[in-house]
Amino acid sequence: MRKSGILLHITSLPTKGGIGTIGKEAYDFVDFLNKSGMSVWQILPVSPTGFGDSPYQSVSTYAGNPLLIDLELLKEEGLIDSIDPMEDEEPDRVDYGRVVEHKTQVLKEAFKVSYKKCEKEVQKFIHKNAWVKDYALFSAVKEHFGMISWMSWPDEDIRMRRRDALNHYKNLLKESVNYYIFVQYLFFKQWFALKNYANKKGVRLFGDMPIYVAEDSADVWTNPKVFQLDKNRRPTFIAGVPPDYFSMDGQRWGNPLYDWEYLKETNFRWWIKRLKAMNQIYDILRVDHFIGFANYYSIPADEETAKNGKWKIAPGKAFFKAVKQELPNMDIVAEDLGAVNKRVQDLLKYCGYPGMKVLSFAFSGDPHDPHLPQNYEENFVVYTGTHDNTTAEGWYQAASEGQRALADKLLRRQPWQSFSYTMCREAMMSKADTCVLPMQDILSLPDTARMNIPSTIGGLNWRWRLLPGQFNDTLADKILSLNIMAGRAFNETKEQK
């Protein structure tokens, strides 16, 4: 069935307190999607943000981001007595430093006031989520050592996870460990309430899973055999991409690479557990950098750039055979952008997962460009752009006259139409089964509203937010008309039959 949705990360919602949350505004956005005829809400990873506030560099692949917990909902439940309001100095931006300080203070107060009365529910949560104990201990020890990377922890015994050290720190930091577990309990209680509401409204949550995990993470500390580490548990080879037109040095991401031989010997058990967890959290999962399951770029960890890396063969079909056996009905979308060779194409065909098309990549002048709508097949998700691209209006402003003329011609743009609207219309009218539009393009916003500039840290990355009132009934009606015209409008009554 043809369907459509919006790409908008939760941090970008116009919640009071400096950052979007899974509170009232998230429920309002679900209602907005429903009114618009949309049935998909795509978000970025909801794990705790790490270095540079990136949701793609997290201390845990399983944990939820405490910054997304809604404080007003905690107050309504009686888990906190009062909230000192945090003023939004820049309502269209997330100020991570202030938000982290404010929210941590409130959550620690909630722990002191309400942990005892929630303890039974917390224990049930632990029983269903075995990962949370290792994550909480990792977080408590990390805080104990001043938040430095676990690779630099001064106590070698706990760094190497020796049994006596594990028991010592569990006892020493018991209160802190319980706090981190409590915060995860709060997050997932709110998360699944929102997911249940969205599903009842006919809206599916479309999540995003990075292929790699951060070096400074509970995942690497807890599962060293899964990664290419030396005897001191330091990465030997790391992830990235080779030099190209955009970067002479390539991209050195720094994530430790997987030991695929070990994973294959264990029938990919670590990965299957990870995917099962994602399958509970989301209705649809985008697997970031799908290419890495066919072949991956391996860079020696002591290299300062990605120039001297090499392509290595990944497990490919063997891995996805195990996934399909364990999770036959999992709804996966493959992020297949980048160096797509025949091995990647064959793997995608074997899996049957939809890949991605990005309309803003289409104006190369090549009539065979795979991102041109006339070259699409049905089994794809089409976007005007992704979180890593400039907005449609930003692209148009930066393009050459020749590129603009070509884009206007291919899109059949009329003089009175904004470029963003034309892009959205063309994506919606394409034959791709699913169309997901970034909220910035629906609102025709300039490049200052983009979410991220790859290979850069800081600045405006991950900070963009909607202003109050920017999604409303008038906009919903406009999107609904486009959905009806494109044959993508979600009809709740029809679906339930």
Side-chain angles (χ1 to χ4, degrees), residues 260-314:
W260 284 114
E261 288 301 317
Y262 169 80
L263 284 164
K264 192 172 183 178
E265 289 170 8
T266 58
N267 202 30
F268 307 104
R269 184 170 59 245
W270 181 88
W271 260 105
I272 298 297
K273 285 172 65 178
R274 185 185 184 193
L275 287 169
K276 282 182 177 178
M278 297 300 102
N279 200 36
Q280 291 180 328
I281 295 171
Y282 306 119
D283 301 301
I284 312 168
L285 182 69
R286 186 189 92 133
V287 177
D288 193 37
H289 198 62
F290 179 83
I291 289 168
F293 292 107
N295 37 238
Y296 61 93
Y297 196 64
S298 175
I299 306 165
D302 56 2
E303 291 283 341
E304 293 185 2
T305 73
K307 286 182 177 179
N308 295 321
K310 293 181 179 178
W311 284 105
K312 300 287 184 71
I313 299 297

Side-chain angles (χ1 to χ4, degrees), residues 93-131:
R93 302 288 173 201
V94 179
D95 184 345
Y96 282 97
R98 292 179 67 230
V99 169
V100 169
E101 183 179 355
H102 177 254
K103 203 147 233 180
T104 301
Q105 181 182 349
V106 176
L107 290 174
K108 290 201 170 183
E109 185 62 29
F111 173 70
K112 288 178 185 177
V113 171
S114 301
Y115 178 73
K116 287 295 181 185
K117 67 181 178 183
C118 296
E119 196 165 8
K120 286 186 179 179
E121 290 300 314
V122 172
Q123 291 305 315
K124 290 179 184 177
F125 174 76
I126 294 170
H127 181 71
K128 292 180 180 178
N129 299 274
W131 59 267

Side-chain angles (χ1 to χ4, degrees), residues 60 76 140 152 165 169 175 191 195 238 314 348 479 492:
S60 172
E76 288 176 15
S152 301
Y169 283 98
E175 194 78 357
W191 177 263
K195 184 176 184 295
I238 57 174
L348 191 58
I479 298 170
E492 193 171 1

